Amino acid sequence: IREQVLWHLERRGENEIFVAYFQSYTNTYAPIEILKERYDAATFDKRVIALAVGTRPDCIDEDVAGLLASYKDRIDVWVELGLQTSRNDTGILINRGYDSEDYLRAVEILKRYQIEVITHMIVGLPGEDMSDAIATARFIGASGVNGIKIHSIYVSKGTLLAEMYNKKLYTPPTLEEYVRTVGEIIAILPKNMIIHRMTGDCPPELLIAPRWNGDKNAMIDGINKYLADNKLYQGAKA
């Protein structure tokens, strides 16, 4: 990893700054020695000012939190947790592999080490409606995390959801439903929570439905209009 990082940094300016972002997969699922080796390799250069680690809540423990906290004396550190939904029955349906109580335990550990936490949620999961998405957002807000990433669900080729869609067992939300749901979510989120994302993107060649998922501007413009039309803002209904 160090060689890969160095290769990229050598092609950038001395005054540029970077975040070492372990985004895909479960980036705390390894022995502590290996994790330290990987994190060290990604953060050795002084231009790297932050370490961001995406992982599952059930792969956070005291040892992992302690290791992550050890980097805080020189760079910012945050962890991104994939909750997706607060409903455990939906979690089973989507093969999440952990329950919402695991999420709360992970947040508690990370907060104890004063590590910032960002939580991911998905709007439009099978069997869920707007009230379920709002309940998940309230659950996330009450957990005391620092930020949230809201994703719009999409049906991607080669997935179980695609099979459900083709068998007419699943219907994704309309753009109007998604816009309204995100607007209401924003209204109930704590004012001090950072909203990092309001959409989710599917590679165009893999997208089956909904077609509006391919138009990020339409989603963002729609959410802004909904908020303005309904005189809503972050924390208005918190």
Side-chain angles (χ1 to χ4, degrees):
I1 290 180
R2 184 185 177 94
E3 289 73 19
Q4 294 176 351
V5 172
L6 187 59
W7 186 89
H8 286 286
L9 290 176
E10 285 177 343
R11 285 154 178 76
R12 308 302 291 266
E14 281 296 320
N15 295 323
E16 294 187 70
I17 57 176
F18 304 91
V19 174
Y21 191 8
F22 289 77
Q23 180 180 25
S24 301
Y25 308 110
T26 306
N27 296 293
T28 59
Y29 185 64
I32 289 296
E33 297 76 15
I34 293 177
L35 293 177
K36 185 176 188 307
E37 177 185 323
R38 302 289 170 81
Y39 300 156
D40 285 351
T43 60
F44 73 92
D45 192 281
K46 65 180 180 180
R47 288 171 290 175
V48 177
I49 63 167
L51 171 64
V53 177
T55 191
R56 293 163 54 108
D58 57 339
C59 292
I60 291 290
D61 58 24
E62 296 283 345
D63 290 340
V64 168
L67 173 62
L68 291 168
S70 70
Y71 294 89
K72 290 178 56 188
D73 60 343
R74 59 187 180 87
I75 58 176
D76 292 332
V77 177
W78 67 83
V79 170
E80 299 194 12
L81 297 177
L83 175 65
Q84 319 313 354
T85 176
S86 60
R87 282 182 51 173
N88 286 330
D89 58 339
T90 304
I92 292 171
L93 178 64
I94 64 175
N95 197 29
R96 186 175 61 176
Y98 51 86
D99 57 34
S100 297
E101 289 67 36
D102 290 319
Y103 165 80
L104 292 176
R105 283 191 289 270
V107 171
E108 191 276 328
I109 292 171
L110 293 167
K111 286 174 65 179
R112 204 158 1 103
Y113 284 84
Q114 298 182 320
I115 296 171
E116 295 199 5
V117 182
I118 300 167
T119 301
H120 293 244
M121 68 168 289
I122 299 175
V123 172
L125 287 166
E128 295 197 354
D129 57 20
M130 183 169 74
S131 65
D132 296 305
I134 292 173
T136 291
R138 287 192 184 278
F139 180 82
I140 294 170
S143 72
V145 298
N146 305 88
I148 188 170
K149 290 189 175 182
I150 306 168
H151 298 261
S152 52
I153 197 167
Y154 49 78
V155 181
S156 180
K157 293 178 182 177
T159 63
L160 178 59
L161 191 61
E163 293 181 22
M164 295 175 63
Y165 177 79
N166 290 331
K167 293 178 181 178
K168 302 189 184 308
L169 299 176
Y170 171 73
T171 302
T174 64
L175 176 58
E176 291 73 21
E177 289 170 336
Y178 183 75
V179 162
R180 184 168 67 252
T181 300
V182 175
E184 293 297 326
I185 286 173
I186 291 172
I188 62 92
L189 290 176
K191 290 182 179 180
N192 62 342
M193 178 178 283
I194 298 173
I195 301 173
H196 293 258
R197 172 183 284 271
M198 294 190 295
T199 67
D201 303 302
C202 179
E205 67 275 11
L206 297 179
L207 180 63
I208 296 175
R211 300 313 304 178
W212 54 260
N213 179 266
D215 190 346
K216 182 180 291 188
N217 288 335
M219 288 186 270
I220 299 299
D221 290 346
I223 293 166
N224 287 332
K225 185 176 187 301
Y226 181 86
L227 292 171
D229 289 348
N230 292 277
K231 297 181 173 56
L232 293 177
Y233 52 88
Q234 186 175 346
K237 298 183 180 181

